[in-house]
Amino acid sequence: MQTTLRGVGVSHGVAIGEVRHMGTAVLEPPAKQIPAEEAEREQGRARQAVEAVAADLIARGNLAGGEAQHVLEAQAMMAQDPELMADVDRRIAVGSTAERGVYDAFASYRALLAGAGEYLAGRVADLDDVRNRIVARLLGVPMPGVPDSDEPYVLIARDLAPADTALLDPTLVLGFVTEEGGPTSHSAILARALGVPAVVALPGAGELAEGTVIAVDGSTGEIFVEPSAEKRAQLESSAAARKAALSASTGPGATSDGHKVPLLANVGGPGDVPAALEAGAEGVGLFRTEFLFLDDSKQAPSEEKQIIAYRAVLEAFPEGRVVVRVLDAGADKPLDFLTPADEPNPALGVRGLRSLLDHPDVLRTQLTALSKAAEGLPVYLEVMAPMVADRADAKAFADACRAAGLQAKFGAMVEIPSAALRARSVLQEVEFLSLGTNDLAQYTFAADRQVGAVSRLQDPWQPALLDLVAMSADAAKAEGKSCGVCGEAASDPLLACVLTGLGVTSLSMGAASIPYVRSTLAKYTLAQCERAASAARAADSAEEARVAAQAVLSGE
């Protein structure tokens, strides 16, 4: 008998297949004591296992490329954390085996993360994966990971570590469902990049029996257990119609009555450019520059290295718009040379622009490198600062841009509610706004973007979040300036129509989402989008807002 479950849809598409479960986590190693003379050998075993796992993560990242590479490199840095390794050595010195020393040291660090505020608690799943891989290597047992199967299947897991998600084979893994995670978790972002339908934050997903046939709708978040023939036909028909519409939709983003809405791509480096070009991106709305800095947490990359990487992206979009976000370090992206190590809640501390203003030499080098990278290119370069709180922040960034001789537009990201509430004040200092809806939701609702238990508050359909988007867009319009969205909200085709109706002037998203958004936007007039936006804002919950907007656009 068909039953329906509901999670959070994070990657478009429909998958129908048999359930296969993720490999189980490594068992806890026994707590046996070793003689003192064996400590040095055990410490060597631990270090070798750590280096092997870090090398494997980096190799997986190099193979996957794009967003996955940056995530996996960050995980490799986590494995090699010197303080963590010092704790492992200390535990082995007092009698632990290598595997037990690793297990207990990671458990201690895990407790610190879990208690250090919700933002860092979201890194616990990544830490657990690193621990499991190191312990598995030491015990000589298979690594936890995706199941072996000759037939396509739907993968079920409590959560998916980036190392697993990055190398999923879409010819075998039709889609995936997790109990944990949220719409902006690493796994969700990588699923969209892969084009694999995915649903997260589904309570009880692990209880689905191996071999059960399920249908996964990554757009609605619905899971149909043992779907009827009628339901399967309906889902397959909808998927086919959607695919045909995507193929027929080309050209610049616009509503059906010709209101232009440039569709831009979020990229993390040169490796993401081919997919953006193939999807028809009209430029780059968010160029994350962190990938360069995560290579070495001890020091910033040289000006020369930065110039080469920036120019590779700028050259790919002649006559196009490329919006570069300067280094956004801190919180879940700590850098030893830049961010404090002892903050009780890094998400509310010195991160983003705050870190750069405390280290003006790092900001100056990056801005100078961007200026030199753009020399002689017919590209429309725009540079924006992350985590702008008020006019003073915006002025400090604009002053730094001018001091570096940067010939570009200067902008501010709206990720803190204060920046949305005082957007007209911020716009006295900068020329555009860009809404990072992931962090804006996080700070608006005090809900960590990585924690499945609060995923309903991370839903970009929340009316309060839409209110802040509208305030920012209204302020930009009043000042004659632009206001784009570069957060994951822009990748939802229906929500993209609502954002357009709110007055947003451009939308930036992962390359895989661009065809979906282009096709959907082209179905409706600007007036319809505006009515849908009004209906969504009048609702009292995210679900009600979604339903209200859909009703308006479908003419109900």
Side-chain angles (χ1 to χ4, degrees), residues 86-305:
D87 191 19
V88 172
D89 284 342
R90 181 185 65 78
R91 292 173 188 275
I92 294 174
V94 295
S96 288
T97 60
E99 46 267 39
R100 187 71 206 192
V102 167
Y103 188 90
D104 289 341
F106 271 76
S108 177
Y109 194 36
R110 188 186 198 279
L112 287 174
L113 282 184
E118 299 246 351
Y119 202 86
L120 277 183
R123 302 274 70 79
V124 165
D126 292 1
L127 186 71
D128 286 348
D129 180 60
V130 172
R131 177 204 64 199
N132 290 347
R133 290 173 185 278
I134 297 171
V135 173
R137 183 170 289 275
L138 287 166
L139 291 174
V141 300
M143 292 284 179
V146 296
D148 290 328
S149 176
D150 295 329
E151 298 296 325
Y153 59 90
V154 176
L155 181 63
I156 307 292
R158 184 185 64 79
D159 201 356
L160 279 173
D164 298 314
T165 317
L167 295 182
L168 289 179
D169 181 351
T171 64
L172 283 177
V173 181
L174 302 172
F176 67 75
V177 180
T178 66
E179 291 192 34
E180 299 294 329
T184 58
S185 65
H186 282 152
S187 291
I189 292 170
L190 295 177
R192 284 189 285 271
L194 287 167
V196 176
V199 172
V200 301
L202 179 71
E207 297 173 12
L208 291 167
E210 189 87 0
T212 302
V213 175
I214 65 172
V216 179
D217 190 328
S219 299
T220 66
E222 292 175 302
I223 306 293
F224 303 96
V225 183
E226 299 291 0
S228 64
E230 182 182 357
K231 173 55 71 174
R232 292 178 68 147
Q234 177 189 338
L235 290 170
E236 288 168 349
S237 174
S238 297
R242 185 181 299 162
K243 185 175 181 180
L246 292 178
S247 300
S249 177
T250 58
T255 59
S256 63
D257 56 340
H259 175 73
K260 294 186 182 303
V261 187
L263 302 181
L264 312 171
N266 294 344
V267 304
D272 293 337
V273 168
L277 293 172
E278 184 178 351
E282 298 168 59
V284 172
L286 173 62
F287 180 4
R288 304 181 184 95
T289 58
E290 290 79 52
F291 79 102
L292 276 171
F293 293 79
L294 291 173
D295 286 346
D296 184 353
S297 68
K298 304 297 182 185
Q299 61 181 2
S302 67
E303 180 182 302
E304 291 72 23
K305 182 176 180 179

Side-chain angles (χ1 to χ4, degrees), residues 12-26:
H12 304 299
V14 171
I16 302 174
E18 292 188 0
V19 163
R20 294 286 183 275
H21 285 270
M22 193 75 169
T24 56
V26 176

Side-chain angles (χ1 to χ4, degrees), residues 285-286 321 323-326 328 352-354 356-357 367 381-399 401-402 406 408-437 439-440 468-469 472-473 475-476 481-487 505-506:
L286 173 62
R321 177 186 179 201
V323 184
V324 179
R325 180 179 70 189
V326 294
D328 184 14
L353 179 62
R354 299 167 187 175
L356 293 174
L357 294 179
L367 294 173
L381 175 63
E382 301 183 10
V383 182
M384 62 185 182
M387 298 297 292
V388 170
D390 55 17
R391 181 173 179 173
D393 278 352
K395 183 178 187 304
F397 178 66
D399 287 346
C401 289
R402 283 187 283 268
L406 189 61
K409 284 187 175 181
F410 318 141
M413 291 197 71
V414 178
E415 300 163 288
I416 303 173
S418 61
L421 294 168
R422 301 285 296 172
R424 289 198 71 170
S425 173
V426 170
L427 283 164
Q428 303 310 303
E429 305 295 340
V430 294
E431 298 172 79
F432 68 93
L433 300 177
S434 183
L435 288 140
T437 51
D439 271 326
L440 184 58
L468 293 174
V469 173
S472 302
K481 297 179 179 180
S482 63
C483 176
V485 168
C486 64
T505 56
S506 65

Side-chain angles (χ1 to χ4, degrees), residues 489-500:
S491 66
D492 179 334
L494 182 62
L495 185 51
C497 296
V498 168
L499 294 173
T500 298

